[in-house]
Amino acid sequence: MTDLAALEARLQRLEDEAAIARLIASYGPLVDAGSAEAVAALWEPDGVYDVDELVMHGRDEIVAMVQSPNHRGWIADGCAHFVGPPVVTVTGDEALAVCHSLMIVNQDGQFVVRRATANHWQLRRTGDSWQVTVRTNRVLDGRAESPGLLASGFHTS
Amino acid sequence: MTDLAALEARLQRLEDEAAIARLIASYGPLVDAGSAEAVAALWEPDGVYDVDELVMHGRDEIVAMVQSPNHRGWIADGCAHFVGPPVVTVTGDEALAVCHSLMIVNQDGQFVVRRATANHWQLRRTGDSWQVTVRTNRVLDGRAESPGLLASGFHTS
Amino acid sequence: MTDLAALEARLQRLEDEAAIARLIASYGPLVDAGSAEAVAALWEPDGVYDVDELVMHGRDEIVAMVQSPNHRGWIADGCAHFVGPPVVTVTGDEALAVCHSLMIVNQDGQFVVRRATANHWQLRRTGDSWQVTVRTNRVLDGRAESPGLLASGFHTS
């Protein structure tokens, strides 16, 4: 007979995975809405967002990216940060996730794929929620580190 | 000690979120299959589907859109309504969801992104399932209401 | 009063659906990482992967596809197999899933959508995990079988 504690542990694992998938799915709509504070709040206060051209340390630098003239320009022209469904692996209070993202932009009245990117997420449980500690993005343009980053999203031990 | 009723409430919340994510993931494959009745059945009988060019009221108008020469033409040429993973927020018997979608079409032997769109979903529990009451789509081509629509998908109170 | 066995059955269904969604979400990152053995392990030992140009029977042929000069070339130039969120239907120890996928490739310094594809997945429970028995992909370029394949992903009885 399965006991209540065992059931709760299984339920908790699903809740953790769902919370992390929800966090990751929130990034695109929030960043395309220009909701700078809400984007930054997905990270721990001193979390890191490491993209090819830029490494942001802490929420203030993430807020600054979303509020930058560059990012505002994407929104003003039309853009979609389309983040795919992640593979989430929870280990206690830490988690790892991996997925693709596309940046679609409106240029001269046409939508084009500006970037296809490998996304590697490290997360940590904080109270009863989850936050990003380090998100690493590398564009899938043939550079060798991008396939390697995807592969590393499945290593957990 | 966690009691059974508390566990069931947590399970029910995950089931609700999964049912809504499934409904939303169904839209693209069904509409690209031309399954007009099944698409319309995702909505309440008098549900609303509000896209930029067209507001459909009730299932008959949704069926008519899927069966229109225009939509049949997209299918005949090749098309994918690619809907991203949603952020779902359930509040009792109501729910809100937000995501992106892409409309990819085959033109002259090449696939192009015809539209990248902000999707805002309002849903209601009906018996033991969920249906759309209002779905609002706005193309992310720089019009100001589209980022606003994404932002509003996170407000629940 | 809900009893423990009924709760466990509901939980098990969510776990099954989550495991299958995770398997499907794993395909893209693994194949773009060139992780041939891990890709093949998503299938049963004699599973089938039926794409438009090629039918692979068994894991060895799937490994060979990932290790082929052709596939290595996509990775070397930059590519994303972007698989959308699936609609999963579990019936006992069998499951069906349907979704879209996009193949995005980097060509001459630009990302283009090479293919938008209908994905139909048949899966089977193996011990306490799930594996693909048959995955069928058909490009959404106007050929009649592709919309039909999407429609058939919702039939379960």
Side-chain angles (χ1 to χ4, degrees):
Chain A
M1 185 66 189
T2 309
D3 72 6
L4 208 53
L7 268 197
E8 192 190 6
R10 289 165 58 185
L11 181 62
Q12 181 67 50
R13 194 173 67 95
L14 287 182
E15 287 176 333
D16 286 340
E17 291 171 3
I20 292 166
R22 179 193 169 89
L23 181 159
I24 291 173
S26 297
Y27 177 81
L30 288 174
V31 84
D32 292 329
S35 302
E37 301 285 349
V39 169
L42 301 177
W43 273 259
E44 288 193 340
D46 59 352
V48 173
Y49 185 13
D50 176 351
V51 295
D52 294 281
E53 315 99 34
L54 180 64
V55 184
M56 291 155 271
H57 294 90
R59 290 182 182 161
D60 287 355
E61 293 186 17
I62 297 170
V63 166
M65 176 274 288
V66 181
Q67 293 179 340
S68 67
N70 205 28
H71 188 80
R72 286 179 195 267
W74 296 122
I75 294 175
D77 289 340
C79 100
H81 289 76
F82 198 101
V83 181
V87 181
V88 178
T89 307
V90 174
T91 312
D93 293 337
E94 309 275 329
L96 188 65
V98 62
C99 64
H100 289 106
S101 63
L102 303 177
M103 183 180 177
I104 313 279
V105 299
N106 186 42
Q107 274 181 348
D108 309 320
Q110 293 203 316
F111 288 98
V112 297
V113 180
R114 184 164 181 270
R115 277 203 302 256
T117 300
N119 286 234
H120 180 281
W121 307 74
Q122 295 171 256
L123 306 105
R124 189 179 295 156
R125 190 194 307 275
T126 305
D128 60 356
S129 73
W130 287 87
Q131 291 179 327
V132 181
T133 53
V134 184
R135 178 185 177 188
T136 308
N137 276 19
R138 290 293 179 271
V139 64
L140 287 155
D141 62 356
R143 66 188 70 188
E145 63 186 312
S146 304
L149 187 68
L150 291 173
S152 72
F154 293 88
H155 299 165
T156 54
S157 56
Chain B
M1 186 65 190
T2 309
D3 73 8
L4 207 54
L7 269 197
E8 191 189 6
R10 288 165 59 186
L11 182 61
Q12 180 68 49
R13 194 173 67 95
L14 287 182
E15 287 176 333
D16 286 340
E17 291 172 3
I20 292 165
R22 178 193 171 89
L23 181 159
I24 291 173
S26 298
Y27 177 81
L30 288 174
V31 84
D32 292 329
S35 303
E37 301 286 347
V39 169
L42 302 177
W43 273 259
E44 288 193 340
D46 59 351
V48 173
Y49 185 13
D50 175 352
V51 294
D52 294 280
E53 316 99 34
L54 181 64
V55 183
M56 290 155 271
H57 295 89
R59 288 183 182 161
D60 287 354
E61 293 185 17
I62 297 170
V63 167
M65 176 275 289
V66 181
Q67 293 179 338
S68 68
N70 206 26
H71 188 79
R72 285 179 195 266
W74 297 122
I75 294 176
D77 289 340
C79 102
H81 289 77
F82 199 101
V83 182
V87 181
V88 178
T89 306
V90 174
T91 312
D93 293 336
E94 309 276 328
L96 189 64
V98 62
C99 63
H100 289 105
S101 63
L102 304 177
M103 183 179 176
I104 313 279
V105 299
N106 187 42
Q107 274 182 346
D108 308 320
Q110 294 204 316
F111 288 98
V112 297
V113 181
R114 183 163 182 269
R115 278 202 303 256
T117 300
N119 286 234
H120 180 280
W121 306 73
Q122 295 171 258
L123 306 104
R124 189 179 296 156
R125 190 194 308 275
T126 305
D128 60 357
S129 73
W130 288 86
Q131 291 179 326
V132 180
T133 53
V134 183
R135 178 185 178 188
T136 308
N137 278 19
R138 290 293 179 269
V139 64
L140 288 156
D141 63 356
R143 66 189 70 188
E145 63 185 311
S146 304
L149 187 68
L150 290 173
S152 72
F154 293 88
H155 299 165
T156 53
S157 57
Chain C
M1 185 66 189
T2 308
D3 72 8
L4 207 54
L7 268 197
E8 191 190 5
R10 288 166 59 185
L11 181 62
Q12 180 68 49
R13 194 174 66 95
L14 287 182
E15 287 176 333
D16 286 340
E17 291 171 2
I20 291 165
R22 178 193 170 89
L23 181 159
I24 291 173
S26 298
Y27 177 80
L30 288 174
V31 84
D32 292 329
S35 302
E37 300 287 348
V39 169
L42 302 177
W43 272 260
E44 289 194 341
D46 59 351
V48 173
Y49 185 13
D50 175 351
V51 295
D52 294 281
E53 315 99 34
L54 181 65
V55 184
M56 291 156 272
H57 294 89
R59 289 183 181 160
D60 287 355
E61 293 186 16
I62 297 170
V63 166
M65 177 274 288
V66 182
Q67 293 180 339
S68 67
N70 206 26
H71 188 80
R72 285 179 196 267
W74 296 122
I75 294 175
D77 289 340
C79 103
H81 289 77
F82 198 101
V83 181
V87 181
V88 178
T89 306
V90 174
T91 311
D93 293 336
E94 309 276 328
L96 190 64
V98 62
C99 63
H100 289 106
S101 63
L102 303 177
M103 184 179 176
I104 313 279
V105 299
N106 187 42
Q107 275 181 346
D108 309 320
Q110 293 204 316
F111 288 98
V112 297
V113 180
R114 183 164 182 271
R115 277 202 302 255
T117 300
N119 286 234
H120 180 280
W121 306 74
Q122 295 171 258
L123 306 105
R124 189 179 296 156
R125 190 193 308 274
T126 305
D128 60 357
S129 74
W130 288 87
Q131 291 179 327
V132 180
T133 52
V134 183
R135 178 185 177 188
T136 307
N137 277 18
R138 290 293 179 271
V139 65
L140 287 154
D141 63 356
R143 66 189 71 188
E145 63 186 309
S146 304
L149 187 67
L150 290 173
S152 73
F154 293 89
H155 298 166
T156 55
S157 58

